Amino acid sequence: MPPSPSRHPRTHSTHAGLLVAVLLGLLVGLLPGLTAQAGAAPPAPEPRAGAFRNPLNSGPDPFMTNWKGNYYLTTTQGGSIKMWRSPSLGTLAAADPVTVWTDTDPSRNRNIWAPEFYRFGDRWYLYYTADDGVDDHHRLYVLESERDDPTGPYHFKAKLAPPNHANDFAIDAGILQLGGRLYLAYSGINQYQHNGLNIAPMSNPYTVSGDAVAINAAGGCPEVREGPEFLYRNGRVWMTYSACDTGKPDYQVWMMSMPLTSDPLVPGNWRQHQGAVFSRADDRGVFGPGHHAFFQSPDGTEDWIVYHAKTTSVNTYSNRTTRAQKFTWRADGSPDFGRPLAMGATQNLPSGDPGSGNYWINDDGRSSGAGSVTYTGAWNSGSGCATQCFWSDDHWSDRAGATATFSFTGTRIALLSVKDTGNGYAAISIDGGPEQRVDFHNPIRVGEAVQYTSPRLANGRHTLRVRVTGEHNSQSGASFVSVDRAEVYTD
């Protein structure tokens, strides 16, 4: 949905529009299976311990693995490398980050992108991209852990540069493991694209041992082939990658494959699969799904994709949030990623996940747990935000002093709603404590954005109050505050 100039157009609902909204609400309640298939809303209230909703993180370029009872996630942060750890996928969004790497070397301490981490032997190797502030100076680097722990501590190990591209632009390292050997796959200069796919041999996890070969990979746009990742199954290695500029709504995932016994350094061994295998879903409000990675459920029986996507069709690098969903395999042996699910769609936790107990509270008072919301003052409500909102509806107000109070039982709460060009400041407090001023404005209209996450609380009954201040920053056109979904954590 394109950004609106302000929240005002939605305040003038007709009687017919209200009737449609009411009927739609009844239909959602009566036919949860149909709404789940359409992607417009999550299914009916789920068992408390067995489900989760996206986003998992507010950053892009995710990489995740499950190791010794915990999920570990990294996303692009820019000035450092942070890692989130959680025993359940359902609580990953509320996990506190650990900073695992910062750098004082001015040649590589800016624009740190796309970290990935792999375990070889009893050490972890963390691959990433960084520059000196100039984009074309992006290069690949690797860190080595000092113990057998994904969170480190790490020390700098090496720069990764194939001899034939020693001083060339390079981003998005991915490690191909085949026949007992390692290969560095990345996006960089070649005869096909400035950001094209390359593969180089490695003699160990931190040494490139030969020239890179260029892979002529197809895509829906001419300019970018990046973020190579690998799956090994059914006698083949599947190389997936992202195509189109990541700012575009058409950013998408494509795929090539070859037999496990073939040489990946022979470009002709790679067979191109026609068409995108994972792409935008306008009817679900998902745009630009890509830059992904793969992980397995804790019991090893399910395959999952973690990726970033946006809730706006505008060409922008902002609002790229991390999401995850399960995928399956076709009869011909190829992976079937399906279609990206709507933000907030309720999904079963991965098999073997111990469960999180988190639940949602919708702005209309419906909840999948022990939660509710009450309002004071003048609020508008309706379904005008469609796929940009949870259950396709929200409340909004610009009247100073109007409040929305969520009552919940748990240890933490996150508030998600629309950021918009006509939004202003809210004052948010927990259990009647000091207010925190939060700006709901955004230069591009986006949905289900994380506006606020509370500190950790003692397990029990709490309240979160959102107060409309009637104020806005100098770039905003109005002072609206949107209330949509609260995610409650009980761990």
Side-chain angles (χ1 to χ4, degrees):
M1 176 175 185
S4 61
S6 74
R7 305 288 287 184
H8 289 290
R10 287 174 39 198
T11 65
H12 304 294
S13 300
T14 64
H15 291 297
L18 289 174
L19 178 59
V20 169
V22 170
L23 292 174
L24 178 61
L26 290 173
L27 183 62
V28 166
L30 292 171
L31 301 175
L34 291 180
T35 57
Q37 290 176 2
E46 71 282 345
R48 286 279 302 276
F52 77 100
R53 285 150 296 280
N54 288 313
L56 302 181
N57 189 275
S58 59
D61 307 333
F63 185 86
M64 185 157 64
T65 193
N66 190 288
W67 187 70
K68 287 191 173 181
N70 282 293
Y71 298 90
Y72 293 84
L73 169 72
T74 56
T75 61
T76 289
Q77 299 297 303
S80 65
I81 299 175
K82 296 182 186 298
M83 191 172 289
W84 288 261
R85 175 178 57 200
S86 173
S88 174
L89 203 64
T91 51
L92 194 56
D96 295 318
V98 175
T99 299
V100 300
W101 183 250
T102 57
D103 204 328
T104 58
D105 187 327
S107 70
R108 58 172 193 255
N109 65 356
R110 305 277 297 278
N111 300 315
I112 299 172
W113 295 349
E116 299 194 0
F117 50 99
Y118 300 80
R119 184 174 184 260
F120 299 115
D122 61 355
R123 292 293 181 268
W124 291 80
Y125 293 86
L126 200 159
Y127 302 84
Y128 66 101
T129 305
D131 67 22
D132 58 1
V134 178
D135 181 51
D136 256 1
H137 293 171
H138 265 107
R139 302 292 185 267
L140 300 176
Y141 304 98
V142 60
L143 312 173
E144 183 182 62
S145 70
E146 296 179 11
R147 59 175 184 246
D148 194 2
D149 187 335
T151 62
Y154 286 92
H155 59 267
F156 183 82
K157 190 65 175 178
K159 178 182 177 180
L160 298 173
N164 59 332
H165 291 293
N167 295 300
D168 290 338
F169 172 87
I171 61 172
D172 295 357
I175 302 300
L176 168 60
Q177 305 174 57
L178 203 60
R181 299 191 61 186
L182 301 179
Y183 301 85
L184 174 69
Y186 67 97
S187 177
I189 300 292
N190 65 30
Q191 63 264 44
Y192 305 113
Q193 289 95 19
H194 180 276
N195 294 34
L197 294 182
N198 299 283
I199 302 177
M202 304 180 76
S203 56
N204 57 45
Y206 49 86
T207 305
V208 177
S209 57
D211 287 346
V213 299
I215 307 297
N216 187 12
C221 303
E223 68 271 20
V224 170
R225 309 287 184 265
E226 63 187 15
E229 295 294 331
F230 300 94
L231 291 166
Y232 312 84
R233 183 156 168 169
N234 301 325
R236 301 186 72 82
V237 54
W238 310 87
M239 177 170 65
T240 54
Y241 57 92
S242 297
C244 299
D245 188 283
T246 190
K248 290 183 175 180
D250 287 318
Y251 192 60
Q252 56 193 241
V253 179
W254 284 61
M255 183 170 69
M256 305 180 80
S257 71
M258 72 172 194
L260 289 171
T261 55
S262 295
D263 184 351
L265 298 177
V266 177
N269 287 340
W270 291 99
R271 179 170 68 87
Q272 182 71 56
H273 291 249
Q274 296 305 310
V277 294
F278 200 61
S279 58
R280 62 189 285 174
D282 294 38
D283 60 321
R284 297 177 174 182
V286 182
F287 302 94
H291 202 113
H292 59 289
F294 305 111
F295 66 98
Q296 286 194 317
S297 59
D299 65 5
T301 65
E302 296 174 347
D303 293 305
W304 288 69
I305 182 172
V306 59
Y307 62 97
H308 77 231
K310 300 179 291 188
T311 61
T312 176
S313 60
V314 175
N315 190 337
T316 177
Y317 296 105
S318 64
N319 182 235
R320 295 178 295 161
T321 58
T322 290
R323 309 151 188 224
Q325 64 187 69
K326 186 172 71 171
F327 69 92
T328 58
W329 296 83
R330 294 187 176 92
D332 67 359
S334 63
D336 182 358
F337 301 109
R339 301 180 67 227
L341 297 172
M343 177 83 98
T346 296
Q347 303 180 61
N348 291 329
L349 286 165
S351 181
D353 189 301
S356 57
N358 53 310
Y359 62 95
W360 53 262
I361 307 171
N362 191 43
D363 67 284
D364 65 358
R366 286 177 289 180
S367 177
S368 62
S372 62
V373 60
T374 57
Y375 298 89
T376 67
W379 289 85
N380 305 281
S381 63
S383 57
C385 60
T387 60
Q388 287 190 319
C389 286
F390 188 69
W391 285 98
S392 303
D393 62 3
D394 70 341
H395 278 63
W396 67 98
S397 177
D398 64 345
R399 302 302 178 90
T403 67
T405 301
F406 289 88
S407 299
F408 63 98
T409 299
T411 57
R412 204 166 201 180
I413 187 170
L415 183 67
L416 298 87
S417 66
V418 169
K419 286 181 176 288
D420 203 354
T421 57
N423 283 8
Y425 292 107
I428 298 179
S429 59
I430 295 290
D431 295 335
E435 291 184 329
Q436 178 177 332
R437 192 176 176 89
V438 178
D439 193 353
F440 281 41
H441 171 262
N442 198 61
I444 297 171
R445 178 183 168 88
V446 296
E448 293 199 67
V450 178
Q451 308 277 18
Y452 170 83
T453 301
S454 76
R456 294 195 178 275
L457 308 166
N459 193 12
R461 192 71 174 168
H462 302 281
T463 59
L464 176 147
R465 191 184 75 162
V466 180
R467 180 176 64 83
V468 180
T469 67
E471 301 170 340
H472 60 83
N473 68 39
S474 59
Q475 285 75 47
S476 181
S479 302
F480 286 93
V481 168
S482 170
V483 172
D484 183 15
R485 162 168 64 117
E487 190 76 18
V488 179
Y489 301 90
T490 61
D491 60 314

